[in-house]
Amino acid sequence: IPSKSYTGYFGIQNQMYFMAGGIAISIFSLAKLMTWLLEHHPIYIWSFFFGLIVASSVLVAKEIKHWHIGTVISLIAGGCIAYVITVMSPAETPNTWWFIILSGAIAICAMILPGISGAFILLLMGKYSYILGAVSSLNIGVMLLFIVGAVAGIISFSHLLSWLLKKYHTATVATLTGICQKNPIEVFSNIGIF
């Protein structure tokens, strides 16, 4: 969570531009590398992801100042949400314009939450290879539809998340912590431990 001085200096819109630019750079520069690394060195990559998830869950958990029954229920609910997401198998989904926009919106929302990967959500939706292929082949039409969805998703979900953090800060942070705590199990299952 950015400090007030950082927010005041850059403004929330500029932060979103920086984030969008970082996402675009990572997609174009790291997509092929990550695919190759996951194929040839999966244990190292998933172990790296495990470290990132554990670190983010610890940082998110530190935001919880008061523990009570509602906080515990929110924590368990977050774990259940993450469990449902991780046990879903990749689905056969359409390559229609509306589903590409929806995929972009959902994937970008996942990227701004700690412990959840936008790429993993795309995999669950059956669109990871399709979007990666569109980037590799510079399919402008598919990329533009995905970007439209991502922009719509980030604008709408960032407002919702901001509202939730203002109104229900402890419950929201506990839910996010629960989501973070479940995702290391998914990492272990990918490297063959579970």
Side-chain angles (χ1 to χ4, degrees):
I1 300 172
S3 67
K4 288 184 179 177
S5 61
Y6 177 83
T7 305
Y9 181 75
F10 285 107
I12 192 71
Q13 286 182 326
N14 286 341
Q15 289 180 41
M16 290 175 72
Y17 293 141
F18 287 134
M19 187 173 75
I23 291 169
I25 290 169
S26 68
I27 287 172
F28 286 103
S29 62
L30 297 176
K32 290 182 180 180
L33 174 64
M34 288 304 294
T35 302
W36 183 86
L37 288 172
L38 282 169
E39 287 176 8
H40 295 90
H41 303 285
I43 293 177
Y44 297 120
I45 295 301
W46 285 111
S47 298
F48 176 72
F49 287 156
F50 173 79
L52 291 177
I53 292 168
V54 169
S56 66
S57 68
V58 169
L59 289 174
V60 172
K62 284 184 177 180
E63 291 289 316
I64 301 173
K65 305 298 183 201
H66 307 288
W67 284 92
H68 48 78
I69 189 68
T71 309
V72 174
I73 291 171
S74 297
L75 182 74
I76 293 169
C80 291
I81 290 167
Y83 177 77
V84 169
I85 290 171
T86 56
V87 298
M88 290 171 62
S89 56
E92 190 67 35
T93 54
N95 293 333
T96 55
W97 65 270
W98 65 269
F99 199 81
I100 296 168
I101 290 174
L102 180 66
S103 299
I106 294 173
I108 198 71
C109 291
M111 291 179 75
I112 65 172
L113 294 173
I116 303 178
S117 165
F120 182 64
I121 296 298
L122 285 177
L123 188 64
L124 292 177
M125 297 179 75
K127 285 288 162 268
Y128 183 75
S129 297
Y130 183 75
I131 298 300
L132 203 59
V135 171
S136 297
S137 64
L138 292 177
N139 185 333
I140 303 298
V142 171
M143 289 175 14
L144 284 176
L145 289 171
F146 189 81
I147 290 168
V148 166
V151 169
I154 194 75
I155 290 171
S156 59
F157 188 71
S158 63
H159 288 298
L160 173 63
L161 187 60
S162 175
W163 181 81
L164 286 171
L165 286 169
K166 284 179 186 172
K167 294 285 186 179
Y168 309 102
H169 183 270
T170 301
T172 302
V173 172
T175 303
L176 294 176
T177 303
I179 291 171
C180 292
Q181 295 302 318
K182 172 62 187 78
N183 280 306
I185 296 173
E186 173 63 21
V187 171
F188 279 134
S189 69
N190 279 294
I191 60 178
I193 293 176
F194 289 133

